[in-house]
Amino acid sequence: MRRPRLSLREQPLPGGQPLAFGTGLLIALIVGILLLLAAGHEPLKIYSRMFEASLGDPDAWAKTINRAIPLGLAGLAVAIAGSMGLWNIGAEGQIMAGAIAAAWVARIGGDWPGIILIAMMLIAAVGGGGVLALGPALARAKLGVNEIITTLMLNEVAIRLVQWLIHGPWKDPDSYNFPLAPMLPDQARLPTLFSRAHFGLLIAAAVIVIASVAVRYTAWGYELRIAGSSEATARYSGISLSKKILTVLVLSGAVAGLAGGVELSGTADRLTETISNGFGFAGIIVAALALMRPSGVAVVALLFGAVQIGGQSIQTLGVSSSVSTILQAFVLFGAIGAGVFSRYRVVLDADTRSSNKELSDD
Amino acid sequence: MALLAVLFAFGMLTACGSDDSSSSSSSEASSSSSEASSSSETEEADSGPETKAAFIMVAPIGDAGWNYAHDVGRQYAEEMTGVETAYVDAVPEGTADFGNYVRDFIDQGYNVIIGTSFGYMDDMLALADEYPDVVFEHVSGYKMNETNFGNTFGRMYEPRYLSGMVAGSATTSGLIGYVAAFPIPEVIRGINAFTLGVQAINPDAEVEVIWTSTWFDPAVEGDSAQALLDKGADVIAMHQDSTAAGEKAEAAGARWVSYNTDMSEFAPEAFLTAPVWNWGPRYVQIIEAAQAGTYAPSAYWGSMAEGIVDLAPIASDVDQGVVDQVMEAKAAIIAGDLHPFTGPINDQDGNEVLAAGEVMDDGAMLGMMFFVEGVIGSTG
């Protein structure tokens, strides 16, 4: 029995990732034309709108950037864990935990000067996300409990916590009993850079640069990647795995928490149960597209943000939300698929062991 | 960077391509059905800004409930006014998405924005300020401004009361289950009106409430209905957007009062009746006012007499005597002779909240946070 299998290429295809992404994107857009035609739309009109709304002018760029900020931070969170072969599926909840912590600071610091208030909110957000990741990190580091399950389950806990706060102790007394948290004080809002693009862009960029350098160029990062590629090698070289797991997962949660703080302060008026808006789950795709490399996250997040903003915009032309979502998925999976095929090839092999490194999903 | 370049190049390509097709009519206003696109007849040669209305909804219009009812209203308004309309659905509250959509619509020349979910309120208030030439109407909220932002809602408690009468006649166990979203005044008012209607026919019947903490989650709604059925309820009512509760009632051989729209086709055996929304005429009013330049913000709370709320047809196996009683009550409400919240009304603990003969004022109804006697459950 010959079965298809993915095998790592010794040499990536010429042109590397960028060419692969571009090709995948083109294929996806062509498939998308068929989808749009089948749904009774004019593909060129739709694509042109998609582009104009996401990258057509400074206002459009601002929308895309504001979308890319939480996507990039969430993607970075997942990628940091992924550098060590760990899966943080809990960024969605950690974003909420970060937003809760930041909202709490905004509640007690309503009369602090803006810069101090915002700084404290963001620090609290980092702490909030880190705290939510601490349990899964400890369980994985000390007991070997699978972090995929624990981080995933804590998402549910985080959203219930937000709901409880909004329906209970943090309900705005002026909201006629509607479950709404009070609006943030004005000085708790991040300033804007241009159009509506907010200061979170610089925060996200700085954090992504720092993380990329740390993972790529420091001894700490080197150990991380060793541990990620082979546990045995890591043990043999005397790397303390459990300590690494603990720090990496908590850091991953902290970065996702920061995304929540930035989102609250940058775009939301108040704490809501939709504050994470799927960014935590989308972050997994962002990280996967960036092949778990922190340095790739920024570009992917920008592309992803543009696709989402463009995909939303075409709904105003009458494209249904489902068709738009399928189209967005085409584009992203086209790019992912091509990215994978530039590094791996499909081989048909008999039941013999191959010396090639397999694409394993563990 | 290279991939952005590719994206950019593709964008240029399509931008050029679209120039060729831009002379074709903009008939994409509705994706849901071709019947709604009367807009294609609108010529672009009109002088002055054309009126175009955009609707923003929180869940898919395919929910058969709240959002579907709004989309029916949108299509009605398009047909009646000849104005081009469009919608986006599944737009979450409290995120940047809402503002992005609104700005997209305004960029395309839409000048009436109707948001149909409570959580859009503060965003709409801010956007109305930013775009003074655009009319904003918010459904189910309470904020407004003095120039271009008003709100619309309906006195759903009127048909709720009538649907309670039907439910009261249908229960034999004396326990009616009520699957409800959130303990906010709107929902509590509905539960109370329903219960008073039940008691008008069946004074000893009780109504037990389960809170789901969601407007739309078929799994949770279905599980909650099942829990009530397991406790002995033989009629299920609801303040939810999906049909899940009705499907559970149907499977259990119980009866069902749906909400938002006539959902009889989803549980034909169980379906009794439903308090329903009829947004179309109100949307016509708003759009026509915007068109004529006479729009003035108001806090519109329309009644059954005005037609924004109604009772769906009653199942054919309901006793004719009961149907007559319900129709009589409906006529009395429309005529202003009957108000569901007329004293004596006691709260759950038996304390009098409204003396005999007194009618509750709007303020008390809008802030209602207590259950009437006969409701099992807590408002907290």
Side-chain angles (χ1 to χ4, degrees), chain A residues 49 67 177 270 274 316 318, chain B residues 31 93 97 104 108 122 369:
Chain A
R49 177 73 206 165
R67 192 85 181 179
N177 262 315
R270 52 163 63 96
T274 48
T316 63
Chain B
S31 69
E93 302 173 332
D97 297 5
D104 256 349
Q108 293 171 56
D122 289 304
M369 280 303 289

Side-chain angles (χ1 to χ4, degrees), chain A residues 254-280:
Chain A
V255 170
L258 178 63
V262 167
E263 191 60 10
L264 181 76
S265 178
T267 65
D269 291 333
R270 52 163 63 96
L271 180 67
T272 66
E273 58 192 84
T274 48
I275 185 96
S276 53
N277 201 12
F279 296 131

Side-chain angles (χ1 to χ4, degrees), chain B residues 121-140:
Chain B
M121 183 168 63
D122 289 304
D123 281 333
M124 291 189 82
L125 185 62
L127 286 158
D129 195 39
E130 192 179 328
Y131 296 100
D133 298 333
V134 175
V135 165
F136 288 82
E137 187 78 12
H138 181 221
V139 175
S140 76

Side-chain angles (χ1 to χ4, degrees), chain A residues 18-19 21-23 25-26 29-30 33 40-49 51-53 55 61 63 66-67 160 163 167 171 174-180 183 196 263 267-270 272-275 277 279 299-300 302-303 306-307 309 311-321, chain B residues 1-4 6-15 17-18 21 24-32 60 86-97 100-101 103-105 107-108 110 118-119 121-123 130-131 140-143 182-186 212-213 215 366-369:
Chain A
L19 183 69
F21 279 144
T23 314
L25 204 58
L26 268 181
L29 290 173
I30 291 166
I33 288 178
H41 300 293
E42 297 168 52
L44 287 182
K45 185 178 159 192
I46 301 293
Y47 280 156
S48 125
R49 177 73 206 165
F51 173 77
E52 277 167 24
L55 302 168
W61 272 91
K63 284 193 229 175
N66 284 353
R67 192 85 181 179
R160 297 298 163 199
Q163 282 182 346
H167 286 264
K171 182 159 68 179
D174 297 330
S175 74
Y176 295 83
N177 262 315
F178 277 98
L180 282 182
M183 297 265 245
R196 268 176 294 280
E263 191 60 10
T267 65
D269 291 333
R270 52 163 63 96
T272 66
E273 58 192 84
T274 48
I275 185 96
N277 201 12
F279 296 131
V299 173
V300 174
L302 212 51
L303 168 72
V307 168
I309 291 294
Q312 286 181 355
S313 177
I314 59 174
Q315 292 176 47
T316 63
L317 294 179
V319 177
S320 74
S321 50
Chain B
M1 284 333 279
L3 78 106
L4 280 179
V6 170
L7 190 70
F8 196 81
F10 198 82
M12 299 304 280
L13 188 76
T14 55
S18 74
S21 60
S24 66
S25 69
S26 55
S27 59
E28 306 259 359
S30 165
S31 69
S32 61
Y87 73 90
V88 289
D89 58 2
V91 179
E93 302 173 332
T95 69
D97 297 5
N100 287 347
Y101 281 119
R103 292 193 174 92
D104 256 349
F105 275 125
D107 283 350
Q108 293 171 56
Y110 285 83
F118 175 76
M121 183 168 63
D122 289 304
D123 281 333
E130 192 179 328
Y131 296 100
S140 76
Y142 53 83
K143 291 190 182 172
F182 292 104
I184 57 173
E186 173 202 348
T212 60
S213 297
W215 295 108
L366 287 169
M368 193 179 283
M369 280 303 289

